[in-house]
Amino acid sequence: MAAELVEAMNMVKSFRVSDLQTLLASMGRSKSGLKQDLVGRALRLVQTEYSPELLKNVRQLYESRFPKTSGWLAARRPEGLPVAYSSSLSSSPTATSQGADYLNGISKPIAAPVAEVKLVPLPFYQTLETLLPPTELIAQNNEKLQDSQCIFELTQSQADQIRNASELRAGIKSIQVVLRICYTDSIGGGGSEDQYPPNIAVKVNQSYCHVPGYYPSNKPGVEPRRPCRPVNITPWLHLSTVSNRVTVTWGNFGKRYSVAVYLVRVFTSADLFSQLKLCSVESAERCRERIQDKLRYDPESEIATTGLRVSLICPLVKMRLGIPCRVLTCAHLQCFDAVFFLQMNEKKPTWTCPVCDKPAPFELLTIDGLLSEILKETHEDIEEIEYLTDGSWRPIRDEKERDRERERSDTPDYPVVDICAPEANGHSPAHSSTSLTGKSTNGSVGTAAAPGAVVDLTLDSSSEEEEGGVAAGDSEDTEDSADSPTPKRGRYNYDKDLVTAY
């Protein structure tokens, strides 16, 4: 009885969420909750209400998940089972010590193929062949650190393909064998993204290979994030028909993971940019139609939009755009530089729009044909433009640029009135109390002089009146003043103390 109870509990631990829900529902128990809740509930059910009926249900669910014909036995592989599913138990020195893990006369599987798991396609990796389909990692015991193994072989054609491939850089082939890991329980229909389990280590043919480390975080209090991307295991493989053994060490903390091995072609950011220029360029005319649609008058809107400003500076690198690019599903017209965007995702794949932070998958990127033409037509000092309702555009100059242009101009912005120009009677308008409006006290109108004239600002009202009195005096006083060696008070030498009016 005790052996059957342990056997049933081991079976329950390997169940999926759907299996656990089926088991609990068949025994009249609640099937809601997270997986860890379901596992705990099922184990308590087995322990407290153990019965032949319950054992039968557990066995049926287990055999439907792990049929006897899919056992991972390297020495005795069922006909039609791929070599990649072979286990290393038969050749492992610890195989005899795992007798307690045998279920129904078959060794407890190290991993099992999971048909419903599908990994998302990656822009920088083109899958050529599947060497090991998505296969779940299964814990062997209650230890937190687990080892799971799988074996696969390369055909001679695949080995030659890798050996003769060109190099992306020193020691890195363009044709690779990569290991991908993801959650077994995928969310959504688009496929599972790469996700590493805790404490991951990958050993290929007795040699540990490099697994990408963590990105350092520049923000205080934010934990470093690990880039989950395919692991290149090519340098440690036997490039022949000899079997290759892969051991994945992983932390068993309640989540389920699956691994897969693929033969892929690796692209660079330059390769993707070439594809983008060839297949994803939106014509200038289509871009104008998009602008007109955005600026079309809406009678229900209280505010009429007459223009949309777009910066010519890339939000990624704060430099002028080279190849303007955006995402078809984004609502904004602002672009980012395609070359920099692809280079950044090659090093740190996020595929996020730098303008609105929404997903920006490679297949939805497009080059803006209209903005490409504008960048060619505008000077490099133009940093912003405005799209108008008719689809046309105009450059936007900032205040600093306008100030610089004003300083470079020789012509002043406003005309200067010369109030010191002599009139026909030989007197200055200042002497006849002429104001800046050009109207004199006696009703005559002063004439405006050319720009650049000087204004005598040393005169005050009292001196003007006095000078006016002299001008109206008799000729004798005038002659006496002319003979005097010292000028009378209020008379100035106009060659001195002159102040320009600009």
Side-chain angles (χ1 to χ4, degrees):
M1 180 69 67
E4 292 180 350
L5 179 61
V6 173
E7 181 184 26
M9 293 179 65
N10 287 334
M11 291 180 182
V12 169
K13 291 178 182 178
S14 65
F15 283 175
R16 297 170 296 186
V17 172
S18 59
D19 300 331
L20 294 167
Q21 292 174 341
T22 301
L23 176 63
L24 292 170
S26 66
M27 300 303 294
R29 298 293 189 274
S30 173
K31 60 178 182 179
S32 61
L34 300 176
K35 183 183 177 183
Q36 57 185 6
D37 300 327
L38 299 177
V39 171
R41 200 177 303 152
L43 290 176
R44 287 192 297 272
L45 177 66
V46 172
Q47 291 174 342
T48 58
E49 299 187 17
Y50 182 78
S51 64
E53 180 185 359
L54 178 59
L55 177 60
K56 180 181 178 181
N57 291 339
V58 172
R59 283 185 180 276
Q60 287 178 349
L61 288 171
Y62 183 83
E63 290 176 358
S64 64
R65 178 154 172 70
F66 304 118
K68 294 182 180 181
T69 56
S70 63
W72 281 36
L73 297 177
R76 189 163 171 248
R77 177 164 48 94
E79 183 178 357
L81 188 68
V83 177
Y85 295 158
S86 299
S87 169
S88 61
L89 277 180
S90 60
S91 59
S92 173
T94 60
T96 56
S97 64
Q98 298 175 347
D101 292 331
Y102 273 54
L103 301 176
N104 298 332
I106 298 178
S107 171
K108 185 177 180 180
I110 293 178
V114 184
E116 63 268 22
V117 174
K118 181 180 179 182
L119 286 105
V120 295
L122 300 176
F124 288 101
Y125 297 86
Q126 178 191 5
T127 301
L128 303 178
E129 295 186 53
T130 300
L131 304 179
L132 173 68
T135 304
E136 186 175 359
L137 301 177
I138 296 181
Q140 301 299 298
N141 47 48
N142 294 328
E143 298 294 331
K144 293 302 182 183
L145 204 59
Q146 299 287 331
D147 285 337
S148 298
Q149 298 180 348
C150 63
I151 295 176
F152 67 91
E153 297 175 358
L154 297 173
T155 65
Q156 190 60 50
S157 174
Q158 293 168 348
D160 293 339
Q161 194 174 3
I162 297 172
R163 190 181 295 107
N164 299 328
S166 60
E167 288 190 346
L168 300 176
R169 52 186 181 274
I172 305 297
K173 295 282 189 178
S174 58
I175 304 294
Q176 299 177 3
V177 175
V178 297
L179 178 76
R180 297 183 65 182
I181 307 177
C182 67
Y183 288 131
T184 300
D185 301 319
S186 60
I187 301 176
S192 300
E193 295 183 350
D194 293 68
Q195 184 66 49
Y196 294 161
N199 308 115
I200 182 177
V202 179
K203 185 166 64 174
V204 181
N205 296 326
Q206 305 304 318
S207 298
Y208 283 99
C209 65
H210 172 71
V211 177
Y214 289 89
Y215 289 137
S217 176
N218 296 327
K219 298 181 180 179
V222 178
E223 295 184 0
R225 190 177 66 85
R226 189 165 198 167
C228 299
R229 53 197 311 176
V231 181
N232 180 19
I233 62 175
T234 313
W236 298 273
L237 293 178
H238 300 304
L239 296 183
S240 63
T241 56
V242 177
S243 297
N244 292 282
R245 184 189 306 275
V246 178
T247 303
V248 179
T249 301
W250 53 286
N252 182 24
F253 294 95
K255 291 188 177 293
R256 300 167 59 200
Y257 296 88
S258 294
V259 299
V261 181
Y262 300 100
L263 181 70
V264 299
R265 182 186 302 277
V266 182
F267 295 123
T268 63
S269 58
D271 296 330
L272 293 190
F273 178 62
S274 299
Q275 295 181 30
L276 195 65
K277 288 196 302 182
L278 184 64
C279 307
S280 302
V281 179
E282 191 171 23
S283 66
E285 186 60 34
R286 178 67 188 94
C287 294
R288 289 190 185 93
E289 294 176 0
R290 186 188 298 273
I291 295 168
Q292 292 172 344
D293 290 341
K294 286 185 174 295
L295 294 176
R296 184 171 287 116
Y297 175 70
D298 184 4
E300 298 182 358
S301 176
E302 297 180 356
I303 302 176
T305 305
T306 58
L308 288 173
R309 289 193 173 190
V310 172
S311 174
L312 302 184
I313 303 300
C314 175
L316 285 171
V317 291
K318 309 304 179 185
M319 296 172 57
R320 184 178 171 89
L321 291 167
I323 305 296
C325 178
R326 53 186 170 78
V327 187
L328 288 173
T329 53
C330 289
H332 53 81
L333 296 175
Q334 180 63 52
C335 293
F336 47 88
D337 191 90
V339 175
F340 287 120
F341 182 75
L342 294 175
Q343 289 176 350
M344 293 179 67
N345 280 279
E346 184 178 19
K347 296 180 179 179
K348 183 180 179 181
T350 58
W351 298 106
T352 302
C353 176
V355 179
C356 62
D357 292 331
K358 292 183 178 179
F362 175 74
E363 58 270 16
L364 293 181
L365 298 181
T366 183
I367 295 176
D368 191 310
L370 177 59
L371 198 57
S372 298
E373 294 181 357
I374 294 174
L375 287 167
K376 295 178 182 178
E377 296 175 8
T378 55
H379 195 268
E380 290 187 358
D381 59 355
I382 302 297
E383 297 184 352
E384 191 177 19
I385 64 164
E386 183 179 16
Y387 288 125
L388 306 177
T389 53
D390 59 354
S392 61
W393 61 276
R394 66 182 183 91
I396 302 295
R397 296 181 182 271
D398 58 9
E399 293 296 333
K400 293 181 179 180
E401 178 63 24
R402 286 196 289 269
D403 292 342
R404 287 195 295 266
E405 290 184 355
R406 191 177 295 115
E407 291 175 0
R408 290 194 295 265
S409 175
D410 293 331
T411 304
D413 293 338
Y414 303 99
V416 177
V417 178
D418 184 2
I419 62 175
C420 295
E423 294 181 340
N425 58 3
H427 293 288
S428 168
H431 295 169
S432 58
S433 301
T434 304
S435 66
L436 290 177
T437 60
K439 293 182 180 180
S440 63
T441 55
N442 58 6
S444 62
V445 179
T447 58
V454 295
V455 179
D456 186 359
L457 300 180
T458 60
L459 296 177
D460 53 15
S461 58
S462 61
S463 64
E464 289 179 0
E465 293 175 357
E466 185 174 348
E467 286 297 316
V470 172
D474 55 14
S475 58
E476 295 179 359
D477 294 339
T478 304
E479 293 176 357
D480 293 341
S481 62
D483 296 335
S484 177
T486 305
K488 297 179 70 174
R489 181 178 180 274
R491 188 178 295 276
Y492 292 86
N493 184 358
Y494 290 103
D495 293 335
K496 300 180 180 179
D497 302 327
L498 296 182
V499 181
T500 58
Y502 57 91

